[in-house]
């Protein structure tokens, strides 16, 4: 499932530049997806829900918002 999620994320990243500027902020939370997928890969499914610290989440969102698009 993680590999499938990575495939879908890559497909989105390739087409992100075609999004209208007015819709781009709605997709900003996708900046967290790669970090969550990496966290899930490194842990065991028995460990429970993959969590990122609040600081890391905010840093990833700020960095992505500052870079602009299409640089996902």
């Amino acid at each position: 499932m993680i590999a499938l999620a990575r495939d879908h994320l890559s497909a989105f990243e390739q087409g992100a530049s075609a999004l209208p500027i007015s819709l781009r902020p709605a997709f900003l939370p996708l900046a967290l997806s790669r970090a969550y997928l990496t966290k899930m890969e490194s842990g065991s499914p028995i460990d429970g829900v993959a969590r990122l610290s609040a600081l890391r989440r905010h840093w990833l969102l700020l960095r992505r918002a500052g870079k602009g698009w299409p640089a996902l």
Side-chain angles (χ1 to χ4, degrees):
M1 291 305 289
I2 293 172
L4 180 62
R6 284 192 186 277
D7 289 343
H8 283 278
L9 183 59
S10 294
F12 171 77
E13 289 172 344
Q14 290 175 358
S17 60
L19 283 172
I21 293 174
S22 62
L23 293 179
R24 292 178 184 175
F27 292 96
L28 185 60
L30 284 175
L32 303 175
S33 298
R34 195 166 302 280
Y36 274 113
L37 291 171
T38 301
K39 188 83 164 181
M40 285 188 277
E41 279 180 335
S42 66
S44 169
I46 298 171
D47 293 340
V49 177
R51 299 187 192 279
L52 297 175
S53 71
L55 181 62
R56 176 121 171 95
R57 286 191 317 265
H58 284 91
W59 172 249
L60 289 170
L61 290 171
L62 178 65
R63 191 171 67 182
R64 180 55 43 90
K67 280 185 180 179
W69 288 69
L72 272 176

